[in-house]
Amino acid sequence: MIDDRSIQDFMKREQSEDKRQHILAQGAELVHRQGFNNTGLQEILKAAGVPKGSFYFYFANKEAFGIELVDFYESQFRASATPILDDDSLKPLEKMRRIFDLFHDFFEAQGFSRGCPIGNLAQEMSDLSPAFANRLRQSIQGLASFYNTFMKQAQDEGDIRPDLDTAEAACFIVAAWHGSLIRMKVEKNREPLERFLNFVFGTVLT
Amino acid sequence: MIDDRSIQDFMKREQSEDKRQHILAQGAELVHRQGFNNTGLQEILKAAGVPKGSFYFYFANKEAFGIELVDFYESQFRASATPILDDDSLKPLEKMRRIFDLFHDFFEAQGFSRGCPIGNLAQEMSDLSPAFANRLRQSIQGLASFYNTFMKQAQDEGDIRPDLDTAEAACFIVAAWHGSLIRMKVEKNREPLERFLNFVFGTVLT
């Protein structure tokens, strides 16, 4: 039976989850733009429009908040990729390439700044916090597995050379992607991303 | 003619340069270990054992200091690579591989932490400071040119496939290196570095 009390509890939980997601969204934007250690807690509170006590109601500390940002960035990635994944007219390697194209356009719109939020946090935080490193390791391994799904399908369909260890190649491709985004950040142009695509689709996979 | 005055001036300049290099060496170690934004000026002063006024005698501000760290890291790289470069018994690609092996051993000794100090600064600072980005761009382009020297020689000697654009491949290899070091930092093992060598020497160059 649904009484007034349980409806009120439900709505409170919903509002609480909205507030939590709001703080994460504001923090995700700041951290992506300027780095984790370079973003103070005060700045996050100000952007989210919440007092310190409210932040600590949702997150144990800044590190725990940062680790939850990884989930947030992963959700953003999944949401961006879904229309491409759902397009049955595309072959596996075309899907993979479309996902990279999507990010190229995103970075171009940002003046070739920011880079991969997961790669950035991995570089910045994995020596400073084992908990952060664990979560980021899962995330980077997950990204490689995600690309490997396309690559295995493409290999079954004869679009990738049969002797390639696709799981290993997917890990190498994610590494080359993270490094190419570092180069993009210093060059501030599209060349490093185009070079990445040329070598991945023209050399590694063929 | 050398008089007492000019000998004293010479010695003062030498001592001043020693002090400057000492501050850079202490800062380079801290920044490599824990990041640029995560290292406070106070911490650098404490490690170098100098007062704030002394730091500002040598460096305009923390950003200018950070940009000079790039020179410092480059000198360290050159010093490490010199014995390999001078070994005439090695073929060009062997020299290149030895340089990567040297870094693998260094990272293993550091518990697979730190990564490339230039790649780290590029990731962390190039969106925050155009001056930093310029200097880091030079450095990363320089590293790619350095490897391209070996690769062109190897191509002339028939050890790399003749159709490869070695300058482009060198840029891709440096990007893959930087990304592989990010993966190393989250995995804390040697696998990402071995994967890097397998793909570079087994796929990209052959």
Side-chain angles (χ1 to χ4, degrees), chain A residues 33-70:
Chain A
R33 199 163 63 219
Q34 58 190 30
F36 188 75
N37 287 316
N38 192 41
T39 301
L41 185 55
Q42 280 303 331
E43 229 177 328
I44 297 168
L45 301 179
K46 198 180 161 198
V50 295
K52 206 171 198 169
S54 180
F55 179 89
Y56 285 114
F57 174 74
Y58 294 105
F59 309 100
N61 50 43
K62 194 187 164 200
E63 181 193 34
F65 174 74
I67 292 171
E68 290 208 37
L69 284 182
V70 179

Side-chain angles (χ1 to χ4, degrees), chain B residues 29 35 61-62 72 77 87 131 134 154 156 163 172 174 176 186 188:
Chain B
E29 172 70 14
N61 50 43
K62 194 186 164 201
F72 186 87
F77 176 81
D87 184 345
N134 279 340
D156 289 344
D163 62 312
F172 179 71
V174 169
V186 297
K188 300 290 180 220

Side-chain angles (χ1 to χ4, degrees), chain A residues 83-102:
Chain A
I84 298 168
L85 298 183
D86 289 349
D87 185 345
D88 293 333
S89 74
L90 299 171
K91 298 188 79 179
L93 284 190
E94 286 172 334
K95 288 186 181 181
M96 197 167 149
R97 189 162 189 138
R98 287 283 178 98
I99 290 169
F100 287 121
D101 286 343
L102 191 74

Side-chain angles (χ1 to χ4, degrees), chain A residues 29-40 43 124, chain B residues 37 124 128:
Chain A
E29 172 70 14
L30 285 170
V31 168
H32 197 189
R33 199 163 63 219
Q34 58 190 30
F36 188 75
N37 287 316
N38 192 41
T39 301
E43 229 177 328
E124 203 185 353
Chain B
N37 286 316
E124 203 185 355
L128 306 177

